[in-house]
Amino acid sequence: MKLLKLVVASLFALSVLGGASSFAADSINELRNADILTQDAAPRIPKVVNSDERQVRNYPEQPPLIPHKIDGYQIDKRLNKCMTCHSRKAIEQSQAPMISITHFMNRDNQFLASVSPRRFFCTQCHVPQTESKPLVENTFVDVDEVLKGEAKK
């Protein structure tokens, strides 16, 4: 008898829960557009500028932009792929600009023989440029434009 009551109770519970789950699915479909799952909602990744031409800086102390692709570059505590072209030893052959002398200074402004550990991870400050339109409107005016306007007055 106990077994029969247990079977009946479990069948009742399954029917109630099964109905609740279909009710929940119907409610969710009513709350959102059902076609959203069939659409490609993710934006396309913009192409990286790969011109190897230096970009103009927009303000003093701006870290230079990376003018080439860096896909697959290993930058971790063991290796920094950027240094194969931008280190002091490599610039003569690679014709790439050497990293700034400030990258060899520690936090006490003492010069080191190699790159400072706090400046070792290049992509913390330097980023590649992409071929994309700005996400927000920008009214930035370069300092040279400001000086031209002052000179006209």
Side-chain angles (χ1 to χ4, degrees):
M1 189 67 175
K2 285 185 178 182
L3 182 61
L4 182 62
K5 286 182 181 180
L6 182 62
V7 169
V8 170
S10 60
L11 287 173
F12 177 74
L14 284 173
S15 66
V16 170
L17 290 175
S21 65
S22 68
F23 174 74
D26 292 340
S27 298
I28 290 172
N29 284 334
E30 290 174 9
L31 293 174
R32 68 174 181 202
N33 184 356
D35 295 334
I36 198 162
L37 297 177
T38 60
Q39 296 174 356
D40 187 14
R44 298 287 179 223
I45 297 173
K47 293 176 75 174
V48 174
V49 174
N50 199 26
S51 64
D52 281 341
E53 294 177 10
R54 291 185 192 186
Q55 303 286 325
V56 177
R57 296 186 197 193
N58 292 314
Y59 57 90
E61 307 297 323
Q62 175 190 355
L65 296 171
I66 301 171
H68 56 81
K69 291 182 179 183
I70 59 169
D71 299 343
Y73 273 36
Q74 181 179 351
I75 303 174
D76 58 29
K77 66 182 183 179
R78 293 187 184 90
L79 179 73
N80 184 331
K81 174 72 172 157
C82 302
M83 293 299 126
T84 58
C85 296
H86 295 278
S87 68
R88 278 189 261 186
K89 295 177 183 176
I91 60 170
E92 187 175 332
Q93 184 177 6
S94 69
Q95 297 297 304
M98 188 181 100
I99 59 173
S100 170
I101 193 71
T102 60
H103 289 57
F104 292 91
M105 293 170 56
N106 67 9
R107 68 176 63 176
D108 299 321
N109 293 329
Q110 300 295 315
F111 284 97
L112 306 171
S114 60
V115 177
S116 171
R118 65 190 191 125
R119 298 288 186 102
F120 188 75
F121 300 98
C122 307
T123 52
Q124 286 181 321
C125 300
H126 305 279
V127 296
Q129 185 67 37
T130 60
E131 296 174 0
S132 59
K133 58 183 176 183
L135 298 174
V136 293
E137 185 178 338
N138 184 358
T139 58
F140 176 80
V141 178
D142 191 314
V143 69
D144 294 330
E145 296 298 319
V146 172
L147 294 175
K148 285 180 189 175
E150 293 291 324
K152 289 180 182 178
K153 289 182 181 179

